[in-house]
Amino acid sequence: IGYATSPVIRGNLKGRWPQKKRWNRWVVYGEDVFLSVMLSHLDYAAVIHVSFYDLETGRSVDERYVFPMNRQLHLSEYVFDSTSFHHEQLSIQTTYLESATTVTLNIPQFDNETLRVSLTMTHRKDDQSVNVVVPHKRKEFQLTSKHMTLPTEGSITLENRHYTLAPQYSFSTFDFTRGVWSRDVDRYW
């Protein structure tokens, strides 16, 4: 029932364990590389999903890390906020400051190699985003804030292959979603 062109509602979920779902997902498109990083918390587990694709060689790596009953991953109720998660399997830090989000990721064993990511996505002042609250049932809903074509710069390194991203040809999308779902739902889109 309508939408906003900038984030105006916060995702303040209370109660309803284990039906709350929260995630932040960044999808990065470079000249020769694609990267997707999703931080999600499902009440009963934290799940971090990282996908990598080399557009030149066709190499594809898709890894999912599950941390049952984890309380260390805190995803804010605000669209533009910082978060961090540190574990022996991986370390990720996202920082929002002065209209830019910085994502730093280190995974020592990503397809038996080390993945290092250091990226900055710029949120331009005139950017518009899609912000909606979608009701599913009387007490179930999702809040989604989607941000597209964010100029991105930085680097992605997988073992000894290095990818440089420049804002002229590298862009990201950011998907912030919070909601209360039934246990038997796969996905709403």
Side-chain angles (χ1 to χ4, degrees):
I1 308 174
Y3 67 96
T5 59
S6 63
V8 294
I9 300 175
R10 62 190 179 119
N12 57 340
L13 305 179
K14 304 289 184 211
R16 303 294 303 267
W17 194 91
Q19 293 180 281
K20 295 183 301 296
K21 314 279 188 281
R22 301 171 178 88
W23 67 78
N24 292 356
R25 182 174 186 228
W26 294 268
V27 177
V28 182
Y29 304 91
E31 190 173 41
D32 51 4
V33 68
F34 164 88
L35 179 74
S36 171
V37 177
M38 184 171 74
L39 306 178
S40 61
H41 205 288
L42 312 174
D43 266 355
Y44 52 87
V47 179
I48 298 174
H49 183 206
V50 179
S51 296
F52 167 91
Y53 185 71
D54 184 314
L55 299 170
E56 182 182 322
T57 67
R59 180 177 183 194
S60 177
V61 182
D62 191 63
E63 298 281 353
R64 188 178 316 264
Y65 305 88
V66 179
F67 304 94
M69 304 309 286
N70 185 283
R71 301 209 179 270
Q72 294 176 347
L73 177 61
H74 297 285
L75 296 176
S76 176
E77 59 190 48
Y78 297 98
V79 173
F80 298 121
D81 211 347
S82 303
T83 192
S84 64
F85 180 78
H86 303 286
H87 188 273
E88 64 187 30
Q89 289 181 298
L90 63 89
S91 175
I92 187 164
Q93 175 82 36
T94 68
T95 306
Y96 178 78
L97 184 63
E98 297 180 18
S99 298
T101 299
T102 301
V103 176
T104 306
L105 171 68
N106 184 32
I107 304 177
Q109 289 295 315
F110 187 74
D111 196 31
N112 297 314
E113 296 182 339
T114 300
L115 175 67
R116 288 188 178 86
V117 175
S118 180
L119 300 171
T120 300
M121 296 99 171
T122 302
H123 303 269
R124 295 171 295 217
K125 289 185 181 186
D126 61 342
D127 274 354
Q128 292 188 4
S129 54
V130 176
N131 301 270
V132 296
V133 176
V134 181
H136 299 297
K137 295 181 182 174
R138 185 168 175 82
K139 294 186 177 184
E140 295 175 7
F141 66 93
Q142 76 184 60
L143 161 66
T144 299
S145 181
K146 296 189 185 311
H147 306 257
M148 284 65 74
T149 61
L150 305 172
T152 301
E153 64 183 309
S155 64
I156 299 170
T157 303
L158 183 55
E159 202 62 29
N160 52 12
R161 179 85 194 244
H162 185 77
Y163 308 85
T164 300
L165 288 85
Q168 300 86 343
Y169 57 81
S170 302
F171 299 93
S172 297
T173 62
F174 172 51
D175 176 4
F176 170 98
T177 299
R178 306 291 186 267
V180 176
W181 280 269
S182 299
R183 286 271 299 157
D184 59 349
V185 172
D186 266 341
R187 182 174 183 156
Y188 281 104
W189 189 256

